[in-house]
């Protein structure tokens, strides 16, 4: 049990809609990273938030956006959903910096776009 | 850019067999290397890591050695169990810790009694 919780666990959306996914980070962690894992693929880094600011972004379009709140929980928002956005979205929390930084992953939100 | 290449699965083994899952990487600088495991219906769990060349990471009978000369980080276990059945991901980070990870495509391991 990592202490990282994501909600919802599953949801189905229609193409063109907008979706918000939520992540509660582990106690004591100030950094949240989001990953997209398509079926049969490895997770791909979307972006990271550190102390409420975006701290690095992968190769994802601007319709993928995020927020981090003062309690370090985070949201991932995706606008204008496309069929290819169907995937497992993983959140990972960590403490910034150092060789012993470890990322703790939540169980993910499975998004299906129809 | 940086990337990770893993052998394709599934890898199918009998219980107590020897396991090797190959992983090679491309990176500038000196990345940290990781193996994560994903059990059915669960998120990723860190299995082991190595942060510099010649380091050996180990956990639960699994081992991997950071080989800079061959840019490899192969996962091995001497005797697998049915409970090891899962998907294994090799990953790297350009930073010393598990930050902004780049993952391989994963290798499914199936162990039969």
């Amino acid at each position: 049990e990592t202490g990282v919780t994501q909600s919802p666990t599953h949801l189905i959306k229609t193409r063109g809609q907008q979706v918000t996914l939520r992540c509660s980070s582990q106690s004591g962690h100030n950094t949240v990273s989001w990953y997209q894992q398509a079926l049969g693929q490895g997770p791909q880094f979307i972006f990271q938030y550190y102390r409420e600011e975006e701290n690095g972004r992968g190769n994802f379009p601007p319709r993928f956006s995020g927020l981090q709140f003062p309690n370090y929980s985070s949201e991932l928002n995706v606008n204008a959903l496309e069929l290819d956005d169907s995937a497992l979205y993983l959140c990972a929390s960590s403490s910034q910096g150092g060789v012993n930084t470890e990322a703790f992953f939540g169980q993910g939100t499975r998004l299906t776009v129809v | 850019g940086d990337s990770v290449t893993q052998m394709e699965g599934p890898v199918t083994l009998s219980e107590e067999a020897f396991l090797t899952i190959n992983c090679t990487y491309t990176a500038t600088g000196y990345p940290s290397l990781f193996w994560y495991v994903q059990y059915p219906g669960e998120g990723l769990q860190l299995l082991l890591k190595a942060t510099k060349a010649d380091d050996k990471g180990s956990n639960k009978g699994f081992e991997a050695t950071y080989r800079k000369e061959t840019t490899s980080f192969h996962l091995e276990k001497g005797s697998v169990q049915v409970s090891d059945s899962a998907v294994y991901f090799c990953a790297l980070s350009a930073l010393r810790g598990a930050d902004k990870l780049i993952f391989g495509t994963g290798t499914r391991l199936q162990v039969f009694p």
Side-chain angles (χ1 to χ4, degrees):
Chain A
E1 193 74 23
T2 65
V4 180
T5 57
Q6 293 186 242
S7 62
T9 53
H10 297 82
L11 76 165
I12 301 173
K13 289 288 189 177
T14 302
R15 190 171 50 183
Q17 285 188 314
Q18 178 266 343
V19 68
T20 297
L21 311 182
R22 295 178 175 83
C23 172
S24 294
S25 58
Q26 186 158 308
S27 177
H29 286 178
N30 56 16
T31 301
V32 172
S33 302
W34 286 92
Y35 293 83
Q36 180 195 66
Q37 185 179 11
L39 195 62
Q41 301 297 313
Q44 295 209 359
F45 175 71
I46 303 174
F47 45 55
Q48 181 184 87
Y49 278 83
Y50 169 61
R51 293 187 176 178
E52 303 179 57
E53 298 285 335
E54 188 177 290
N55 182 41
R57 187 179 184 94
N59 189 26
F60 281 82
R63 60 189 185 84
F64 285 78
S65 63
L67 282 174
Q68 188 178 33
F69 299 99
N71 66 355
Y72 303 128
S73 66
S74 177
E75 287 183 354
L76 163 65
N77 298 291
V78 187
N79 293 322
L81 284 166
E82 300 177 359
L83 296 179
D84 284 349
D85 295 332
S86 295
L88 180 68
Y89 288 84
L90 295 167
C91 157
S93 83
S94 60
S95 293
Q96 189 60 253
V99 66
N100 291 317
T101 296
E102 183 174 340
F104 293 86
F105 285 82
Q107 291 190 318
T109 294
R110 172 116 10 232
L111 171 65
T112 302
V113 182
V114 297
Chain B
D2 295 355
S3 66
V4 174
T5 302
Q6 287 182 240
M7 62 187 288
E8 289 193 17
V11 173
T12 304
L13 295 173
S14 298
E15 206 165 25
E16 299 183 4
F18 184 85
L19 168 71
T20 299
I21 300 178
N22 290 338
C23 170
T24 57
Y25 68 91
T26 301
T28 55
Y30 303 93
S32 294
L33 301 174
F34 306 84
W35 278 100
Y36 281 84
V37 58
Q38 188 173 39
Y39 296 101
E42 298 186 14
L44 297 171
Q45 299 175 26
L46 177 65
L47 183 59
L48 53 84
K49 68 178 182 182
T51 58
K52 61 183 187 296
D54 300 326
D55 266 3
K56 177 185 284 188
S58 61
N59 186 27
K60 300 180 181 179
F62 291 89
E63 292 182 340
T65 301
Y66 188 141
R67 301 284 188 203
K68 187 166 175 61
E69 63 276 13
T70 55
T71 63
S72 65
F73 192 55
H74 304 321
L75 182 68
E76 296 182 338
K77 186 175 186 182
S79 175
V80 293
Q81 305 300 312
V82 172
S83 58
D84 293 327
S85 298
V87 181
Y88 292 81
F89 293 93
C90 185
L92 70 80
S93 171
L95 304 175
R96 298 299 300 281
D99 201 30
K100 299 168 188 170
L101 294 160
I102 296 171
F103 287 88
T105 54
T107 303
R108 180 175 299 280
L109 170 64
Q110 297 174 323
V111 181
F112 293 95

